[in-house]
Amino acid sequence: MGATTLVDRIEAVLDKKSNRVVGRLMKDVDLFGGIKEVCRRFDIQAAQFQCIGSLRHATYVQLEKTSEGVLQYTPKIVSDTEVELLNGTGFVGYDLNDELDVHFHGMFVDCHKQIYGGHFLDGENPVAITIEFILLPVENVELKRGPDQLTNIPVFQFAEKE
């Protein structure tokens, strides 16, 4: 039996009537990488998605306020155990380099029975058992990262497709 590839570890089906994609990511697939692969497979340019499941660890950041009152993100936080993703919601669009990009927030419980959540990081959230998802493509909307007018932090900008 040969080695499995990323494509072999993703199940995804398009419901043509609702134009929604449902499926699951299997063990060791990165959460963001798997969602981006599904988007490429179904030629999805912009979407909202939800998911639940388990991760070998969660890698995320949270907001914090500096002593000067400025909002910033914490240094990267990595859970010390596997986690059950209780709720996860995100958007798919394009980054400043025109590559598929995911913005995702999730809440999870770890093996110590502690609940945490935050802004998850790309490439650092491998599936433990399964992640089940639904992707809701939007056809006439462009999601592209750009600097926020007030904070200059790159965030998704929402516009009608031309």
Side-chain angles (χ1 to χ4, degrees):
M1 187 170 206
T4 61
T5 65
L6 175 65
V7 174
D8 296 332
R9 292 180 284 139
I10 298 173
E11 291 178 359
V13 178
L14 172 65
D15 175 1
K16 292 178 184 166
K17 185 173 182 179
S18 68
N19 194 36
R20 295 177 179 171
V21 177
V22 294
R24 73 183 185 109
L25 310 176
M26 297 177 207
K27 185 178 189 311
D28 296 329
V29 172
D30 177 69
L31 174 59
F32 286 25
I35 293 296
K36 288 188 261 188
E37 177 60 30
V38 171
C39 288
R40 284 189 282 275
R41 184 182 299 175
F42 292 98
D43 195 29
I44 295 170
Q45 312 286 313
Q48 189 267 330
F49 73 98
Q50 298 171 331
C51 63
I52 58 172
S54 59
L55 299 169
R56 286 196 340 241
H57 58 265
T59 307
Y60 59 102
V61 294
Q62 296 174 329
L63 278 178
E64 67 181 0
K65 198 177 275 194
T66 67
S67 58
E68 295 81 30
V70 176
L71 283 177
Q72 65 182 20
Y73 283 109
T74 62
K76 176 171 61 173
I77 303 166
V78 181
S79 68
D80 64 354
T81 72
E82 292 78 5
V83 304
E84 282 288 329
L85 189 57
L86 303 172
N87 183 34
T89 303
F91 284 95
V92 178
Y94 283 85
D95 66 14
L96 298 169
N97 299 316
D98 289 325
E99 298 289 330
L100 274 175
D101 193 15
V102 173
H103 181 202
F104 180 80
H105 288 219
M107 183 173 62
F108 61 88
V109 60
D110 65 14
C111 292
H112 308 295
K113 299 179 177 47
Q114 297 297 307
I115 295 175
Y116 299 98
H119 172 100
F120 282 51
L121 301 178
D122 191 4
E124 301 188 52
N125 292 283
V127 174
I129 299 170
T130 188
I131 288 286
E132 296 155 352
F133 65 86
I134 184 166
L135 229 127
L136 299 92
V138 288
E139 298 297 325
N140 298 313
V141 176
E142 181 180 80
L143 273 73
K144 180 141 183 159
R145 284 214 189 258
D148 178 75
Q149 293 176 342
L150 300 175
T151 64
N152 209 33
I153 294 172
V155 296
F156 275 139
Q157 311 286 319
F158 296 80
E160 284 187 64
K161 263 191 184 172
E162 296 181 11

